Amino acid sequence: MRRGRVLGALLPVALLAAGCGIRATDVVEAGEPATVQVAPVGELGTVLYFVSSSSASRLLPVVRHAPQEGEGGGGTSEEDAPTGAARALDLLFDGPSGPERDAGLRSELPNGRVKLSVELSAQGVLVTLDAPVTTLSEAARQQLFCTAARARTADRTEAVTVTGTDGVIGPAHCSV
């Protein structure tokens, strides 16, 4: 009986000693974190980037669907309505809709209407605003960069430069 107790007491010590021969390994790279590509359906949607209320700097994409014919999309006639990146930025400056706010999204861009123009070139997207831009938070800058870049290319790799009444930010890329 005594012999069994001694073996029982020595067994854990023997197992621990045997584990000491395990060699350490280097960090094994497993790749980038998973991402989800959010894409609008055809020409009927625009992707905007808003800030999650749960995190000060986390941007989330939102698809805004364009109104169908006869639904009424405001007071702008179809021929006067901005298209592409200019339309996306106009929607971005309007801020999140009621349901988007209810879902915890917000904007760090200034409230109110901002006049803007957008130029597309081989060097990227140039956005000109009639508002100060150098004092914008990093989240607000990323909202602009990501929305403008996404309006130009689906993979958001486009360089974006924003010029305002107080200076220039960029060229920069979307970090989302």
Side-chain angles (χ1 to χ4, degrees):
M1 182 76 161
R2 186 172 168 109
R3 189 174 184 196
R5 285 187 192 161
V6 172
L7 270 173
L10 290 177
L11 185 62
V13 174
L15 290 175
L16 284 173
C20 291
I22 299 173
R23 289 186 231 162
T25 61
D26 290 333
V27 174
V28 177
E29 294 293 329
E32 295 295 318
T35 59
V36 176
Q37 182 65 35
V38 178
V41 180
E43 297 295 318
L44 302 177
T46 302
V47 179
L48 310 175
Y49 287 82
F50 290 112
V51 182
S52 170
S53 292
S54 64
S55 172
S57 61
R58 183 170 180 217
L59 293 187
L60 296 175
V62 173
V63 178
R64 286 272 183 90
H65 294 285
Q68 298 292 327
E69 239 179 86
E71 283 184 25
T76 312
S77 71
E78 191 173 310
E79 59 213 29
D80 294 336
T83 58
R87 180 175 186 281
L89 291 171
D90 272 345
L91 291 171
L92 182 66
F93 275 100
D94 286 344
S97 66
E100 292 163 352
R101 279 190 304 277
D102 292 345
L105 298 177
R106 62 185 170 76
S107 178
E108 289 206 2
L109 292 168
N111 292 337
R113 282 314 259 176
V114 174
K115 288 188 180 188
L116 62 93
S117 66
V118 177
E119 292 179 44
L120 306 176
S121 71
Q123 288 74 39
V125 181
L126 173 63
V127 179
T128 304
L129 303 174
D130 70 344
V133 295
T134 60
T135 57
L136 291 175
S137 69
E138 185 57 31
R141 291 174 183 218
Q142 285 300 314
Q143 281 185 263
L144 286 170
F145 298 148
C146 293
T147 299
R150 178 63 173 90
R152 177 83 188 260
T153 62
D155 63 3
R156 301 174 313 276
T157 58
E158 200 70 39
V160 178
T161 304
V162 181
T163 303
T165 57
D166 62 344
V168 177
I169 55 175
H173 297 274
C174 176
S175 67
V176 175

